[in-house]
Amino acid sequence: MISKTFNALLNAADTLSKLCFILLFIPCAAICNESPPNVLLIVVDDLGWADVGYNDRNNVFQTPNIDALASKSMVFTDAYAGASNCAPSRAVLMSGQYTPRHGIYTVSPSDRGHPKTRRLIATKNTDILGDSVVTLAELFKSQGYTTGSFGKWHLGQDAKSQGFDHNVAGHLKGHPKSYFSPYNMPFLEDGPKGEYLPNRITTEAIDWISEVRDQPFFAYVPYYTVHTPLETIDTFKQKYLSHPKVRNERHATYAAMVELMDINIGRLITSLKEFNISNDTLIIFTSDNGGIRSISYQDPLRGGKGSYYEGGTRVPLLIHWQNKIPAKEVNIPVINADFFPTLASVLGKVEFSYPLDGIDLSPLLLSNSSIEERSLFWHFPIYLQSYNPSADQSRDPLFRTRPGSTMRKGKWKLHHYFEDDSYELYDLENDEGEHVNLAQYLPKVVQALSAELQHWRDSINAPIPKTVNTQFDEVFSAELTEKHLSKK
């Protein structure tokens, strides 16, 4: 009943152009009759679904601390980022809202790639999360928490202007010039020459937690690693160069970055034990989008960062709260938009005056209850140029993403592309790698899902680019496509 009321209110709010509404629900804190926990939210940058030990089928990645956390966490096998690249995914996570609500679709500009290969004028992109959007940090502050951000912000010039009391290294840019000091970054003093950024970020987070541990806190640790530039401590890289499944030096460097990230996450978790607050801290570990496929293959998933195939949006997700959340594997599809309403419920927040697109997962986490099946949606009215046409596994070799939308409902994954109004349909239960397009064989399924997708776009006022790009050159585009295909 609560879920039906929630959906009805959302639809009403969308129809009335986002007029405010009040969402009422029974908060977890009231049910549990306990104080809400501290929250440690760890978001690794560009870490692929297949790039953690417990998912790695090639035994390349050494992540013993993450694997240990997985063994005592709720592990979500079908967890998704709200977008396939950095800024929009973080905006979805921080707001609990799908991309059309805040307008962050990519890292500007939205018209990437050669202009002669784009049929449509891409929707303009927004770079900064608007002040009208309530962030997770502001939610926590409203409930009496102190808040700290340590690492990549990417949604504005200063994380402190959007709800955080403390900000280390968080600004508008999406990656460091170097992972070794001097960093030349805002909101971070340079360390000793050669200091490694993930180590420093972790130390800053631990020191802050030590200072605020006697009060409820929200520690957001969005590591810059394992985003490019690919830089690591050489002694770690050397051991991967001889690994039989490591393809080249870039792959070895990346694997070493993953291991160092894991070591630092181990430091964070150990600090909670040392401060005697591990039982009082809820931990979420995830990534902001899929991995870059040309660096690390995401098999069995297709594609990678920037693609809306599974390899671009499916991510690792662990949620742990000692003695509260059972350790088990869950294959129910969830998305990072769910973090906001879930954490709000855990905090005991009972009223909202703004729409949320995620759902409260606390019954699943804390009460062993099921959640109603629902569809997940992605909207990307933009272009993202290819990284590596021979490795990207994209729809065509020129782009990782062309304008369109995708949705998942149960086992079905539907892609809709705006340039040619075409559809792709995949049965993820039997084709996890999205290799066999069933659209022409199952027209009724496509019809039903596409109608639901269109209803969602209408309800959320999702912009669909329709203006023809006068610079588009079909002959040039075809020749360039053929040139890339001939290199494969």
Side-chain angles (χ1 to χ4, degrees), residues 32-303:
C32 300
N33 195 29
E34 295 180 0
S35 299
N38 306 310
V39 174
L40 170 61
L41 173 54
I42 302 168
V43 179
V44 183
D45 197 351
D46 288 359
L47 180 72
W49 178 88
D51 299 343
V52 288
Y54 70 88
N55 278 340
D56 179 16
R57 302 183 185 185
N58 290 316
N59 296 316
V60 170
F61 298 106
Q62 297 183 26
T63 58
N65 294 296
I66 295 170
D67 296 347
L69 182 64
S71 70
K72 53 186 180 182
S73 298
M74 192 168 287
V75 179
F76 290 85
T77 63
D78 292 41
Y80 292 92
S84 69
N85 62 334
C86 308
S89 172
R90 292 162 191 272
V92 173
L93 181 154
M94 272 289 144
S95 67
Q97 298 179 333
Y98 281 132
T99 52
R101 295 199 192 274
H102 47 71
I104 299 178
Y105 297 108
T106 184
V107 180
S108 284
S110 58
D111 52 355
R112 310 266 197 97
H114 199 292
K116 290 185 178 182
T117 62
R118 302 191 303 261
R119 291 181 180 270
L120 299 172
I121 300 297
T123 297
K124 293 296 183 183
N125 185 59
T126 299
D127 290 328
I128 294 175
L129 197 62
D131 290 339
S132 63
V133 177
V134 178
T135 68
L136 261 178
E138 290 166 333
L139 168 71
F140 276 96
K141 282 181 67 67
S142 73
Q143 301 303 295
Y145 278 60
T146 187
T147 57
S149 178
F150 304 87
K152 178 171 174 174
W153 179 236
H154 214 200
L155 299 175
Q157 298 294 345
D158 183 355
K160 286 195 291 187
S161 71
Q162 293 167 295
F164 286 98
D165 299 313
H166 189 68
N167 171 31
V168 173
H171 59 116
L172 188 58
K173 298 297 183 182
H175 61 83
K177 292 180 180 179
S178 173
Y179 279 102
F180 294 98
S181 183
Y183 310 113
N184 297 314
M185 295 176 67
F187 312 115
L188 180 68
E189 292 185 6
D190 290 334
K193 186 176 180 179
E195 178 188 64
Y196 193 53
L197 182 58
N199 297 352
R200 170 67 177 280
I201 292 291
T202 305
T203 297
E204 293 278 352
I206 291 172
D207 289 348
W208 180 81
I209 291 172
S210 176
E211 292 176 1
V212 303
R213 57 182 163 170
D214 292 332
Q215 58 186 303
F217 65 81
F218 170 48
Y220 177 49
V221 186
Y223 284 107
Y224 281 97
T225 196
V226 290
H227 196 291
T228 55
L230 295 183
E231 295 179 345
T232 192
I233 297 172
D234 190 65
T235 52
F236 283 81
K237 180 176 74 173
Q238 291 302 316
K239 71 178 184 179
Y240 289 99
L241 290 172
S242 60
H243 193 290
K245 294 294 182 67
V246 170
R247 301 186 310 279
N248 49 42
E249 186 174 355
R250 277 166 55 86
H251 196 193
T253 302
Y254 179 77
M257 292 177 75
V258 171
E259 181 178 354
L260 283 161
M261 172 269 299
D262 177 80
I263 289 171
N264 280 293
I265 289 173
R267 291 176 60 203
L268 281 172
I269 294 171
T270 297
S271 74
L272 300 178
K273 296 176 183 177
E274 291 175 346
F275 300 150
N276 198 30
I277 56 174
S278 57
N279 287 352
D280 304 318
T281 304
L282 188 156
I283 302 172
I284 300 175
F285 165 82
T286 191
S287 173
D288 62 342
N289 48 249
I292 299 175
R293 185 175 169 80
S294 60
I295 296 174
S296 178
Y297 295 161
Q298 294 303 302
D299 298 346
L301 307 183
R302 178 177 175 178

Side-chain angles (χ1 to χ4, degrees), residues 308 376-378 380 404-408 413-416 453:
Y308 282 81
L376 303 179
F377 300 97
W378 296 264
F380 47 101
S405 301
T406 57
M407 66 175 289
R408 175 167 180 183
K413 180 82 172 288
L414 183 76
H415 299 248
H416 180 208
L453 178 59

